[in-house]
Amino acid sequence: MSSSRRTRTTFQRFIESEALGGLVLMASAALGLVAANSPLAQSYKDVLHAPIGGLDLLHWINDGLMAFFFLLVGLEIKREMVEGQLDTWRRRTLPLVAAFGGMFVPAVIFMAVNFPHPENWRGWAVPTATDIAFALGVLALVGSRVPGSLKVFLTSLAIIDDLGAILIIATFYASGLSIAALAVAAVFAAVLYWLNRRGETRLLPYVLLGVLLWIAMLFSGIHATLAGVVLAMMIPINGTDDNGHSLLHSMERALSPWVAFVVLPIFAFANAGLSIDSAGQMLVLSPLGLGIVGGLFLGKQIGILSAVYLAKRARIAALPAGASWRHIYGVSLLCGIGFTMSLFIGLLAFTDPEKEVVLKLAVLAGSLLSALAGTLVLLTAGPKKTTPAS
């Protein structure tokens, strides 16, 4: 199988798994909400805060289990940049410009609403994120009404968005930095780089060093999950095994179903559960809540649609093949589904229980509005356009 054909197959498999995983993610989030608002609510909370090895279960989920999610994200980013849909600047231009607009405008809207409230400023990045699994899951419900190129555009945009979220987490949400722990982490990263450069293709050395890197990051003040991204960047993409796959492709193929159907659903179930009472509903109308909802629902669509329009007007990029402006608008709305990444960033930004309630309600509200509006727009966008064969 040629390299280009293998890349297309990998990308297609990725899209399909992410779409189905997004549907499972929705069900898990709904189950968490039901549990938190049922007679089992106290048991739900007790289980999540049960101590295990010095940390509670929720901490293990958010710091430990999610490291596998970030590892997969890192592998996807590296593959797409090296040999996938983002392997040239010509291919990167449109999703890169769109991702920038889709992160910048939501942050501006959030800060405009919350500027008089400095205690909320740490939440500026919450509405900048896009949940790729959730968005592709919704897009899958639309089916053949959208061209395949639109799915590629959404996936590429979301991957760049994930890269931006990773940089934001590393830069703005580090706290209590430990120079000693960072130095140890740097040593492990250097050894991983050395293994990559010498062409090591065995999995075990990378796994062992990845675990040690995660432990060092846990005590460094930089979120431990980012160890997964660092490890992913060091996994070799060149060289093949007996089955013709590189270590990176093999790891990505093995991790994808586990992340889509185990890691993210557990994260959603554990973090989406909150008691929805009248007081909580009113808190969504607070500046923090309005900033998040406005950023996700309004900021994403304005930012992405404007960026794509300017890129096309400047002739530095063209619309995806077969896609209309209505299709682009629909995708811009779907990018307002922040969910996983928005919750993750928000839980780093705020530790106050009341703010966490506002955060979760606002992320759910903004994501739901974006999902419903995006679905409606795409359902009325008409069938895929056909283009003459060249």
Side-chain angles (χ1 to χ4, degrees), residues 60-377:
W60 278 112
I61 291 171
N62 292 347
D63 279 33
L65 202 58
M66 284 296 283
F68 292 98
F69 166 71
F70 280 91
L71 171 59
L72 180 62
V73 167
L75 293 172
E76 291 162 357
I77 290 172
K78 182 172 181 177
R79 172 177 54 78
E80 291 301 319
M81 290 292 187
V82 174
E83 60 177 32
Q85 301 298 322
L86 301 172
D87 62 345
T88 65
W89 280 109
R90 182 174 175 273
R91 288 182 166 189
R92 294 171 191 161
T93 301
L94 187 64
L96 183 63
V97 169
F100 176 79
M103 298 183 81
F104 178 75
V105 177
V108 170
I109 288 178
F110 179 91
M111 289 303 296
V113 174
N114 285 276
F115 191 75
H117 307 278
E119 69 277 10
N120 295 338
W121 288 0
R122 277 181 61 81
W124 69 270
V126 173
T128 65
T130 294
D131 189 315
I132 184 173
F134 225 133
L136 282 173
V138 174
L139 194 63
L141 297 176
V142 181
S144 60
R145 286 180 174 271
V146 299
S149 62
L150 204 66
K151 298 175 184 177
V152 174
F153 171 64
L154 172 59
T155 306
S156 302
L157 191 165
I159 286 174
I160 295 175
D161 192 288
D162 282 345
L163 179 59
I166 289 166
L167 295 174
I168 287 171
I169 292 170
T171 305
F172 296 98
Y173 293 101
S175 60
L177 292 178
S178 168
I179 301 301
L182 283 173
V184 173
V187 170
F188 291 137
V191 177
L192 283 166
Y193 178 76
W194 175 75
L195 287 176
N196 179 294
R197 296 297 295 173
R198 71 187 291 267
E200 178 60 64
T201 57
R202 290 177 299 171
L203 177 61
L204 185 59
Y206 291 100
V207 171
L208 292 177
L209 284 165
V211 171
L212 293 173
L213 178 64
W214 179 85
I215 294 172
M217 295 280 276
L218 185 65
F219 294 98
S220 70
I222 296 177
H223 205 269
T225 52
L226 296 185
V229 180
V230 175
L231 174 60
M233 294 299 110
M234 304 304 173
I235 300 298
I237 195 171
N238 297 318
T240 58
D241 57 20
D242 295 336
N243 297 317
H245 302 295
S246 72
L247 181 57
L248 185 143
H249 288 116
S250 297
M251 285 183 66
E252 185 181 356
R253 190 171 60 255
L255 274 174
S256 289
W258 286 99
V259 169
F261 302 114
V262 178
V263 174
L264 290 181
I266 289 176
F267 175 85
F269 177 77
N271 288 281
L274 73 160
S275 179
I276 303 178
D277 52 24
S278 57
Q281 294 171 31
M282 290 302 295
L283 286 172
V284 176
L285 301 178
S286 67
L288 177 59
L290 289 176
I292 293 172
V293 174
L296 286 172
F297 182 62
L298 297 176
K300 280 290 186 180
Q301 58 172 294
I302 294 171
I304 293 174
L305 197 62
S306 299
V308 172
Y309 174 79
L310 292 174
K312 187 175 185 299
R313 188 70 181 268
R315 298 183 180 179
I316 60 174
L319 296 186
S324 66
W325 279 108
R326 196 174 185 86
H327 287 126
I328 298 297
Y329 180 50
V331 165
S332 301
L333 282 164
L334 291 187
C335 286
I337 305 174
F339 198 65
T340 302
M341 271 296 195
S342 290
L343 284 177
F344 192 86
I345 292 173
L347 292 171
L348 293 178
F350 302 114
T351 57
D352 177 74
E354 185 174 289
K355 288 189 184 299
E356 285 189 10
V357 170
V358 179
L359 160 75
K360 292 180 180 182
L361 280 172
V363 168
L364 289 174
S367 297
L368 183 60
L369 281 172
S370 299
L372 292 175
T375 301
L376 181 62
V377 168

